[in-house]
Amino acid sequence: MSNYFLNSVISVATCSLLVACAQLPKSEAPAAKLTDWPSYGLSPEAQRFSGLSQINRNTVAQLQPAWSVDTGVKATFQATPIVVDGIMYISLPFNHVIALDARTGKQLWKYTHVRKADWPMCCGPANRGVAVAEGRVFMGTVDARLVALDAKSGQKVWDIDVAGQQVNTEHQDTLSGNDPNKTRKVTGGTGVGIAMAPVVYKHKVIIGITGVGYGLHIDNPRSDAPLGAVIGVTGRYGRPGFLAAFDVKDGHQVWQFDTIPKQGWEGQFTTKTADGSQFERDVAAEKAAMKDFPDSARFGGGSAWSTPAIDAATHTLYFGTGNPSPQMNDVSRPGDNLYTVSLVALDTETGKYKWHYQQVPHDLWGYDLASPPVLFNYQHQGKTIAAVGQASKAGWFYIHDRLTGQFLAKSDPFVPQRNLFKKPSAEGTVIYPGILGGANWSPVSLDEQQQRVYVAAIHSPIKYTVHETEVKPGDKPIRYAASEPTDDARWGLLSAIDLQSGHIAWQHKTSQPLVGGVLATAGGLLFCGEGDGKFAAYDSQTGKSLWQYTSEFGVNAPPITYQVNGEQYIAVASGGNSLFGFKQGDRILTFKLTPQH
């Protein structure tokens, strides 16, 4: 049995003293049968659970393609379609946007994005989607801009630079001349960009930057394999990440929260967290190194990967942060490296810090919080607690009191774990989940009424190695840390987790790692896609496969559902994922019920 109930008695006792924790109103999500899909997580709470039930366990066998659109941009496709008043808005790779009739797929308009020619992309051309509000469509771009379009015409209303000037990046030139990684092909870069879909709240567009974790991404020679080595070189690279709010009318910045504090970045030199995780650290050596690296926070990292969840009752937003910089290599960054690899709560109106919980202090593995957090009413020991949950790369689903940040519980592992927090070594340390996860950026779906969360995850063993190479005799050797996939088998795991017990209710193993996200509905269904093009519906209670469709391209994006003229549709982007070796494409797929004759 896991340590799921660690601290739970103390947490509940503390919560009982808070009036706001008691007798919370039930979420309206299960009952409010939204016909649209108006935001990235469906609702501000980001539960991605739809109350639509026309497509259900009894009717799903009749699900057939309704329409599909080939967009003409074949590349990694991760976007969540947004549907408002019968119109679907979806961002394509390289930040083009199209508006479609959600019933027929007819194109209404297209926006073509012109990127800055000299701006390196951090992580490929994909982005996670748009936000639609107040008659406008908002999108963050791979070249670190925030663009507002007119929702009726697609014409650009305003376009602002979010990150300012580009910063120095690390290159293969940093490596020794005889290092084999010096001449290998690099996938992506270390440029600042925006991957997350924005969210709009009270006339503010909220979005954050990525690409500040600073590691070289070396391509894998196998086309069907995930990303090759990721390298972190000791040095003064990068900048802090941030989350910021911008006015919907003209794009001026309202507030900015830097994910790296100017003071106190080193934290408490934690070796054990409240959830029971322990870390091997030479605290004395780290403290001694503080005098050599007093300005580490300037290069701190902490990308903002995930679209925030918002509690409208308390005007609080919750988001996850990325790894510290340099990635995996800790020589130049002693301390806990706050607020990296953390769940962070901010005031929506001011951006003021409320609390944070660091899952992995002084991260050496790339266990950043990539999957978006989700808000729900947590039924525990006869009490209803306002909670925030997050599916981690390390392989647990965490639950916190969302008012205080107090750790309440974590689930049983939903992926295999080995040497979870072991340090990299010269001979290579095999670790899993490792840098790929666990739960990568894939959003979860949460059924609050059933107290279940559904997680798409990855098993892919990773070898972590420390290298020291001599540049020339007498010089200090160059040190870097690298992670790369092993030759071991890898697969995906689709899990239903009981929130009350923390146990796995059921689990379905897939032939490839799962990345893209899930959709649960009141029809008792769970939808999820795979890298080989399989798109399937499962019984959400048992995990039994009930229906499937095979696409030409990988289905590695989050599915949605919506209703037009009384008919329920399921939609998903099918464009694969280059980092995982899944076939890339350009297709938007939709399905609806076709009565059997």
Side-chain angles (χ1 to χ4, degrees), residues 57-132:
R57 295 186 187 99
N58 298 323
T59 62
V60 71
Q62 302 168 39
L63 200 61
Q64 296 289 334
W67 55 262
S68 67
V69 169
D70 291 348
T71 68
V73 185
K74 290 188 175 181
T76 300
F77 203 175
Q78 300 177 346
T80 291
I82 300 299
V83 178
V84 177
D85 295 333
I87 299 175
M88 177 184 291
Y89 305 88
I90 186 165
S91 55
L92 312 181
F94 300 103
N95 298 118
H96 312 307
V97 183
I98 55 175
L100 307 171
D101 184 310
R103 185 180 63 86
T104 66
K106 178 183 177 181
Q107 183 172 305
L108 305 177
W109 56 255
K110 181 177 182 179
Y111 163 77
T112 301
H113 184 67
V114 179
R115 289 185 296 126
K116 297 177 184 176
D118 58 347
W119 196 276
M121 291 188 298
C122 155
C123 312
N127 69 92
R128 311 265 157 84
V130 301
V132 178

Side-chain angles (χ1 to χ4, degrees), residues 4 376 378 397 399 446 451-453 497-502:
Y4 183 82
F376 61 103
Y378 179 36
F397 185 79
I399 301 176
L446 191 143
Q451 290 285 286
R452 277 193 179 185
V453 64
I497 300 172
D498 183 281
L499 293 169
Q500 293 181 321
S501 68

Side-chain angles (χ1 to χ4, degrees), residues 325-341:
S325 175
Q327 189 168 7
M328 298 176 296
N329 199 331
D330 65 339
V331 172
S332 60
R333 52 172 178 86
D336 293 344
N337 312 150
L338 300 177
Y339 300 111
T340 64
V341 195

